């Protein structure tokens, strides 16, 4: 049976600053709205980008907030098989800021190294994740509107809280504060050895909750 190659679709566009100057060296993502389709490209010096080899369907195009200094409204586009579609410019602005402090619930001490990210509700465009600093402080730049801020304690010494996100409305140029508390988890240590009692390297150890 012969194999048929399906031509991919292409998205072309530009990332620009508010005065219209091209925004170079920004990564732009295209994510399928209803599928796991995905593509990306890095903008040229003039802000131009092309994302190739996409399947047909609905996509959201957004600019990565890598530096934490800029945000841009996501752009919606629907592609057909093999189509090349030019989309509206992604305009980078200063947006709004959400900041706060993450502390230990038991002592009130700062909780460093907890990951924080945020998205405007309905936009499906998370800003770049960052960790709380040694004072437990964090700051994320977001799109104006209703935003959901989420913390991720996985990989740190803290437990993932039952309520790990909060929602707040923030207007253009505004700064809003949201604080979180986390609890310390327990640590387990030991040594892996064979039947002769000799140490064994490279063994993966997993711990699961169980009944007593």
């Amino acid at each position: 049976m012969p194999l048929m190659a399906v031509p991919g679709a292409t998205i072309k566009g530009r990332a620009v600053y508010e005065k219209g100057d091209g925004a170079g060296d920004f990564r732009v993502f295209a994510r399928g709205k209803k599928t796991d389709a995905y593509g990306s490209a890095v903008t040229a010096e003039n802000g131009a980008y092309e994302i190739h080899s996409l399947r047909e369907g609905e996509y959201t195009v957004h600019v990565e907030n890598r530096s934490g200094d800029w945000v841009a409204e996501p752009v919606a586009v629907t592609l057909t098989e093999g189509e090349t579609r030019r989309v509206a410019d992604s305009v980078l602005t200063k947006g709004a800021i959400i900041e706060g402090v993450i502390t230990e619930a038991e002592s009130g001490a700062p909780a460093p190294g907890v990951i924080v990210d945020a998205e405007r509700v309905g936009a499906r465009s998370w800003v770049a994740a960052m960790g709380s600093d040694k004072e437990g402080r964090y700051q994320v730049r977001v799109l104006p509107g209703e935003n959901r801020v989420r913390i991720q304690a996985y990989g740190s010494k803290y437990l993932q809280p039952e309520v790990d996100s909060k929602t707040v409305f923030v207007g253009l140029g505004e700064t809003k504060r949201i604080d979180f508390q986390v609890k310390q988890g327990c640590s387990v240590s030991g040594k892996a050895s064979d039947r002769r009692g000799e140490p064994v390297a490279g063994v993966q150890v997993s711990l699961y909750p169980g009944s007593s």
Side-chain angles (χ1 to χ4, degrees):
M1 179 180 295
L3 298 177
M4 301 293 293
V6 177
T10 297
I11 295 173
K12 292 185 176 182
R14 290 182 73 219
V16 300
Y17 296 108
E18 290 179 274
K19 294 183 178 180
D21 297 329
D25 198 31
F26 280 84
R27 182 163 291 279
V28 182
F29 295 93
R31 301 183 189 277
K33 286 187 175 181
K34 299 178 181 179
T35 68
D36 59 356
Y38 168 88
S40 71
V42 176
T43 60
E45 186 176 350
N46 66 352
Y49 66 87
E50 295 183 7
I51 304 175
H52 301 284
S53 303
L54 297 170
R55 299 199 297 266
E56 64 179 358
E58 297 179 69
Y59 288 83
T60 299
V61 179
H62 66 94
V63 181
E64 182 183 29
N65 183 27
R66 182 172 54 192
S67 68
D69 295 330
W70 303 95
V71 291
E73 293 282 349
V75 177
V77 59
T78 300
L79 300 175
T80 58
E81 184 179 296
E83 176 186 20
T84 295
R85 174 70 65 89
R86 182 171 294 278
V87 298
D89 291 348
S90 296
V91 181
L92 299 169
T93 72
K94 290 296 185 179
I97 290 175
I98 299 175
E99 62 185 13
V101 178
I102 304 174
T103 56
E104 296 181 0
E106 301 87 350
S107 64
V114 178
I115 301 300
V116 181
D117 56 20
E119 71 164 345
R120 192 174 64 184
V121 175
R124 201 185 179 194
S125 179
W126 290 95
V127 303
M130 64 164 295
S132 54
D133 65 16
K134 64 181 181 180
E135 302 297 330
R137 296 172 300 192
Y138 75 90
Q139 184 183 89
V140 289
R141 194 175 298 274
V142 299
L143 293 166
E146 188 176 16
N147 279 267
R148 182 163 71 98
V149 183
R150 178 181 63 179
I151 64 172
Q152 300 181 65
Y154 305 112
S156 70
K157 66 178 182 179
Y158 301 105
L159 300 172
Q160 184 70 11
E162 292 184 8
V163 179
D164 61 3
S165 66
K166 298 179 182 180
T167 302
V168 63
F169 183 91
V170 57
L172 180 65
E174 287 187 335
T175 298
K176 291 287 182 70
R177 175 166 176 160
I178 298 180
D179 295 334
F180 291 93
Q181 286 190 328
V182 290
K183 294 181 179 180
Q184 288 200 39
C186 300
S187 298
V188 176
S189 61
K191 182 177 74 172
S193 58
D194 60 20
R195 293 181 178 180
R196 297 174 296 176
E198 296 295 326
V200 179
V203 176
Q204 181 176 343
V205 179
S206 301
L207 182 65
Y208 299 95
S211 57
S212 55

